[in-house]
Amino acid sequence: MTSDGSAASAGPNVPVWDPDGALALPRLRGDLAADVCVIGLGGAGLTAVLRLRERGLRVVGLDAGPVAGGAAGRNGGLLLAGTAAPYHRAVRALGRERARALYRRTAREIGAVLEAAPGTGSRPGSLRIAASAEELADGVAQRRAMRADRLPVEPYEGPEGRGLLFPEDGAVDPLRRCRALARAAVREGADLNDRSPVTSVDAPDDRSARVVRTPHGRVRCRQAIVAIDGGLARLLPELAGTVRTVRLQMLATAPTDRPALPRPVYYRYGFEYWRRTPDGRIALGGFRDVGGAGESTDDPTPGDVVQERLTRFLREHLRVEAPVTHRWAASVGFGPGTLPFVGEVRPRVWATGGYDGTGNLIGAVAGRALADRLAGDDPVELRWLGAR
Ligand SMILES: Cc1cc2nc3c(=O)[nH]c(=O)nc-3n(C[C@H](O)[C@H](O)[C@H](O)COP(=O)(O)OP(=O)(O)OC[C@H]3O[C@@H](n4cnc5c(N)ncnc54)[C@H](O)[C@@H]3O)c2cc1C
């Protein structure tokens, strides 16, 4: 990469978020026993771990890499209420009651995310900016549907363009958020292990223990939650036709004064998104469609086609001249429809993922609901999410 970032060679794949503060966790060695084993320590898995501890269950958590080494610590940090689909489309797909319930529930989760990880984010609102006349009209339809259901939205026109303002949305440093969750989980008595990739989950069809295997150890547990989004189909081949892996990419610049950008922007139906970081950088993601089939990959490293397009957009559309300092990517899961996959894949082995690249909130909602289910409740969120 040149010093001004104009050439888009991939670079070292380091996200812009908090370079310090990694947790020192053990690697799983030998045998452990637990009520529940949570596989995947991103936002969804860590939320589940904390909830299980609140419910008094013994929990072992495992991650292949460091905590939030995947998408959960490498994303844009936008906290947008609702499902991946704009509200009026969610209403069409799910019905009004369910779409509204999920919108309200995810909006409430913004507060829960910020409360669980104090100092890592805020609620400046967000913008949906139209890239075309057609998208502007789609925004009008979204606003009508939201207004009809008394959800917070306003028309917007300003330096970013025209579209909608969602005054209650939020933004977070996703890596600091997850590390704060992991620290809290350890404090609350969860046994977290990193550098412990799960190679198999045995689930005999009887009362005996589930056995979760890693290269150097095993966890015997009554139940398991697999919260590995983009990795689901690799560990649970049953989900191969349901959740597919996609690579998403971002870049970030050195601190800069312009544009002012008081709140994150979601553009071109969410393909592109950008925001300011707390230290004044511009973080920009998108153009997975420009990458085409090349982005349907397990390879979580940045690729030139998308990075070049991001750089051009940064310079020509956002008119940002600051040098590019970070380029990174991660794998996410794209699900079967408007909702992610949440369900019991093998006896007493539950999985969640396929958030279509917007899992910061709905992943946490799913993780907490699964924890409550495994603690013996029947949380309404699982019905809203269409859990199978
Ligand atoms: C570039 C980018 C930008 C994004 N921007 C946003 C955004 O602004 N807002 C938003 O809401 N969403 C965004 N997303 C999507 C969001 O990051 C994901 O939907 C969310 O992180 C999924 O939650 P998770 O807990 O499943 O996270 P993940 O990070 O995907 O968690 C999976 C964890 O499981 C671990 N794992 C995988 N396989 C195994 C295994 N076999 N054994 C043990 N551990 C394993 C991984 O190491 C990882 O830590 C973005 C994603 C990317 C990549």
Side-chain angles (χ1 to χ4, degrees), residues 39-45 62-66 68-79 196-198 227-231 234-235 248-250 273 328-332 355 357-361:
I39 301 163
L41 300 178
L62 302 173
D63 200 287
R74 302 180 145 258
N75 67 60
L78 278 63
L79 301 175
S196 305
V198 172
I228 62 177
D229 195 23
R234 266 200 312 272
L235 187 59
L248 300 182
Q249 305 196 35
M250 295 191 72
Y273 40 93
W328 72 96
S331 297
V332 299
Y355 311 111
T358 57
N360 282 342
L361 296 176

Side-chain angles (χ1 to χ4, degrees), residues 51-266:
R51 183 59 153 197
L52 289 160
R53 285 303 303 142
E54 273 171 36
R55 305 295 307 260
L57 296 177
R58 284 177 310 155
V59 192
V60 170
L62 302 173
D63 200 287
V67 160
R74 302 180 145 258
N75 67 60
L78 278 63
L79 301 175
L80 309 179
T83 63
Y87 186 69
H88 58 307
R89 291 167 195 256
V91 168
R92 220 175 293 148
L94 306 173
R96 195 167 168 184
E97 292 305 311
R98 220 163 132 206
R100 185 171 47 197
L102 275 169
Y103 195 97
R104 290 201 172 130
R105 182 64 192 80
T106 47
R108 222 171 58 229
E109 192 64 28
I110 299 173
V113 164
L114 298 177
E115 201 177 307
T120 63
S122 62
R123 290 187 92 156
S126 76
L127 298 175
R128 176 189 174 185
I129 295 296
S132 64
E134 184 205 1
E135 191 177 356
L136 200 56
D138 193 65
V140 171
Q142 177 176 359
R143 179 159 59 91
R144 276 204 200 105
M146 290 183 68
R147 278 277 169 82
D149 286 343
R150 298 175 189 281
L151 298 173
V153 62
E154 295 161 22
Y156 179 83
E157 184 161 3
E160 300 87 349
R162 291 174 69 195
L164 302 177
L165 165 63
F166 307 95
E168 295 178 13
D169 279 347
V172 72
D173 174 329
L175 185 53
R176 287 182 63 209
R177 168 207 174 200
C178 287
R179 286 175 176 163
L181 293 180
R183 281 194 196 93
V186 170
R187 263 195 321 270
E188 295 303 321
D191 186 341
L192 301 190
N193 302 263
D194 65 11
R195 296 160 296 143
S196 305
V198 172
T199 51
S200 67
V201 183
D202 300 343
D205 201 5
D206 58 27
R207 302 302 301 167
S208 54
R210 270 83 278 273
V211 181
V212 176
R213 292 174 204 277
T214 71
H216 303 288
R218 290 185 307 185
V219 180
R220 293 176 175 279
C221 52
R222 286 193 294 116
Q223 316 189 76
I225 295 176
V226 186
I228 62 177
D229 195 23
L232 275 178
R234 266 200 312 272
L235 187 59
L236 301 171
E238 298 95 316
L239 294 179
T242 307
V243 181
R244 65 193 170 90
T245 306
V246 173
R247 173 171 65 186
L248 300 182
Q249 305 196 35
M250 295 191 72
L251 59 70
T253 70
T256 175
D257 291 343
R258 286 177 25 197
L261 215 56
R263 48 183 89 76
V265 178
Y266 212 54

